[in-house]
Amino acid sequence: MSDHSYVRTEMLSEQPAPLGETGVLKWMRENLFSSILNSIITVVSVIGILFVLALLLPWMFQPSWASGSLRQCLDDPNINGACWGVVRDRVNQLMYGFYPREEQWRPTLAFFLMLVAVAPVLFDKLPRKMIWFSAIYPFLGVWLLWGGSIWGPAMVVAGFVIGYFVFKVLHEIAGSLTGMIVAVLVTILWWMYGAGLAASGLNGIVPLGIEAVPSSVFGGFMLSMTIGISGIALSLPIGIMLALGRQSDMFIIKTLSVGYIELIRGVPLITLLFVASVLLNFFLPPGTSFDLILRVIIMVTLFAAAYMAEVIRGGLAALPKGQYEAADALGLDYWKSMRLIIMPQALKISIPGIVGSFIGLFKDTTLVSVIGLLDPVGLIVTIQGSTDWNGIVWELFLFVAMLFWVFCFSMSRYSMYLERKLQTSH
Amino acid sequence: MSQVEQKEVDRSGMQVSDEVAIEIRNMNKWYGDFHVLKDINVTVNRGERIVVCGPSGSGKSTLIRCINRLEQHQKGDIIVDGTELSSDLKNIDKIRSEVGMVFQHFNLFPHLTILENCTLAPIWVRKTPKKEAEEIAMHFLEKVKIPEQALKYPGQLSGGQQQRVAIARSLCMKPRIMLFDEPTSALDPEMIAEVLDTMIELAQEGMTMIVVTHEMGFARKVANRVIFMDQGQIVEQNEPEAFFNNPKSERTQLFLSQILGH
Ligand SMILES: Nc1ncnc2c1ncn2[C@@H]1O[C@H](COP(=O)(O)OP(=O)(O)OP(=O)(O)O)[C@@H](O)[C@H]1O
Ligand SMILES: [Mg+2]
């Protein structure tokens, strides 16, 4: 550079383009009418869209919000299409099912706290300390939804704390493997025998709690969210473990993972839900009953995890062998190289597939209506059976579809944002 | 090649001690039925710089990859720094953290910055505090002359720069032995010199090095022994002077005439 006598040191700012090269007209010429074929396609599409809108819009915009029954809509000469009164009348039910009205602030609060809990996971710019809230949220959320004494969830959390301390003490004396096994055993024993006693004991001394709400009144979009979010949060880690298991050198682990994945992928979700609703109780010791929503969450999770595992396996397969070798050559052990090198890259490659599975899982929650749970689709059937709204169809389905669309579309947009953000090569 | 030959290499720091760094005895390896490495015997003393060459497919990569257990040998012994390579995971991890390796295709971690690439293993394997690991990393990035790139991602660097980062990344673990598998053969000619310069500097400081390369200029200037391999066997090994001027076996002569001929 030194032999140039003059080098411009500042960039010139961009000049506005000449007239006629800017704005809507230019864009249209380039994108909609760039060739004869393109022009034909444009015209035909516009006609098609207008045709659909001409049918749809007049049907949608009807002064029917206030009407109290389908009869009223039909009798009113001003209403000539959609009868939106049903949404006004039943929106509470579609959102909360039969959850008691005076307690409905709890699921609402749980929802917003859920947003706070996932925020630090979704956006890495937020303070890392928020992760602590994400860690306790599952217990807080469950407590808000089902209510009861605060000591129940608190004693479950206490199990983790006890396990941690047992590990910490034994790890020094007896090595990390023994420490781990004993810690897990102690934690499980605590949950099975200690936690219940301790919770009722503590409740006797300091009765702290909110009104318990049984699973049977759960319903509506709140139910879909409960099942969907739990399924999403649980199926990702299980899917990761299954994908790693499938790649493992250890015969038993590999066979179990492959067997599990192939078995679950070969079975429709509906059958698993029936298993959840009927058969699972059959296997449990008599006298114990196992919450139906919990059973459904387990089944949905197990189902989604098998798909997740395959999506992540695709990401693992796409990584060059050199990444594993470089990690090995630096002396990282298996778990560290998976956690620090392999998984971050494999998950990044699989983002579209993972989010696709999430969206699929979320929409599949509507299948629980088949086993009698009152999710929005189940409620539609109930509402259609009522005297006031007998015969109504489109309005309800449109409303429910819109609720689902908002969530699925947000997930899809987030996945695109994440892919752009993680793009590190230029 | 020519750039290397222009520079004088200061051999004063390159002392070979009597201490054995790597000992390979009667080592054999098969891929299925294919006998890749046949009765390999090599002893490397501390401070030695060994260049391994030979035709494609002769087993050079496989040989040096056996030294840090990226490949497993089936027969014979490999003893690195007094630790025998067996299937004992503890030994493998110990050896790997003391043997650095540089690959043909760099194998940097694309999702981490240059600095993070360099601090990862010290932090997670050596348990070095983060701040100290970053200081060490910056020290070695300065040594390979790219401290200003520390916060970029590997994808934003040229091939030569990436390979120098890969060298720095290995050095951050303070290895006692460095293995290089054709470190310059994926690079454009103008970038080869910058990587070789880095390697020469390392040799001048007395690092024990085994380098698979076809850069004969580098071998002449830096190596104290050249090993020629063909079909899984060590055909000939000698000091560079003797190796290049009077190769004993016909296969070596043929190989040298091919590689130096044009
Ligand atoms: N994973 C493997 N499975 C089967 N055969 C292999 C495997 N890896 C290498 N080989 C074979 O072993 C032989 C030696 O390979 P190696 O990579 O060590 O050769 P090389 O001397 O490094 O060659 P190059 O100069 O091309 O890198 C080759 O014939 C190769 O085809
Ligand atoms: Mg090779």
Side-chain angles (χ1 to χ4, degrees), chain B residues 42-177:
Chain B
V42 182
T43 306
V44 181
N45 285 350
R46 192 156 300 294
E48 275 202 286
R49 288 97 32 214
I50 299 202
V51 163
V52 181
C53 61
S56 181
S58 54
K60 309 178 294 289
S61 299
T62 312
L63 171 61
I64 67 165
R65 289 158 62 86
C66 281
I67 295 173
N68 66 351
R69 232 337 136 105
L70 288 184
E71 303 287 350
Q72 189 175 347
H73 64 283
Q74 277 93 28
K75 227 179 101 195
D77 307 310
I78 302 179
I79 299 157
V80 182
D81 249 344
T83 311
E84 179 168 356
L85 265 178
S86 58
S87 36
D88 187 343
L89 286 176
K90 274 223 174 83
N91 285 355
I92 296 175
D93 284 342
K94 179 160 177 278
I95 287 172
R96 281 177 177 168
S97 63
E98 292 190 358
V99 178
M101 183 158 202
V102 175
F103 300 86
Q104 182 175 2
H105 296 288
F106 333 134
N107 298 356
L108 294 179
F109 305 128
H111 63 300
L112 300 177
T113 62
I114 300 305
L115 188 64
E116 287 165 343
N117 263 277
C118 293
T119 55
L120 184 114
I123 291 175
W124 291 94
V125 180
R126 289 248 191 273
K127 313 271 179 246
T128 314
K130 185 165 178 236
K131 202 155 170 284
E132 197 185 324
E134 284 177 353
E135 278 162 20
I136 297 171
M138 286 315 292
H139 168 76
F140 284 110
L141 286 174
E142 259 154 46
K143 202 170 148 75
V144 302
K145 305 194 179 64
I146 28 181
E148 72 282 359
Q149 313 282 5
L151 298 179
K152 290 196 182 163
Y153 285 93
Q156 297 166 297
L157 268 55
S158 75
Q161 290 174 323
Q162 289 192 47
Q163 192 61 298
R164 284 184 283 149
V165 172
I167 295 174
R169 177 176 73 177
S170 291
L171 292 178
C172 285
M173 285 293 279
K174 306 265 172 77
R176 309 185 63 175
I177 299 166

Side-chain angles (χ1 to χ4, degrees), chain A residues 17-40:
Chain A
L19 275 175
E21 292 300 311
T22 63
V24 186
L25 276 180
K26 171 167 179 270
W27 184 87
M28 281 175 66
R29 203 168 51 237
E30 282 175 359
N31 292 289
L32 300 178
F33 301 101
S34 59
S35 68
I36 295 181
L37 181 65
N38 196 350
S39 308
I40 294 173

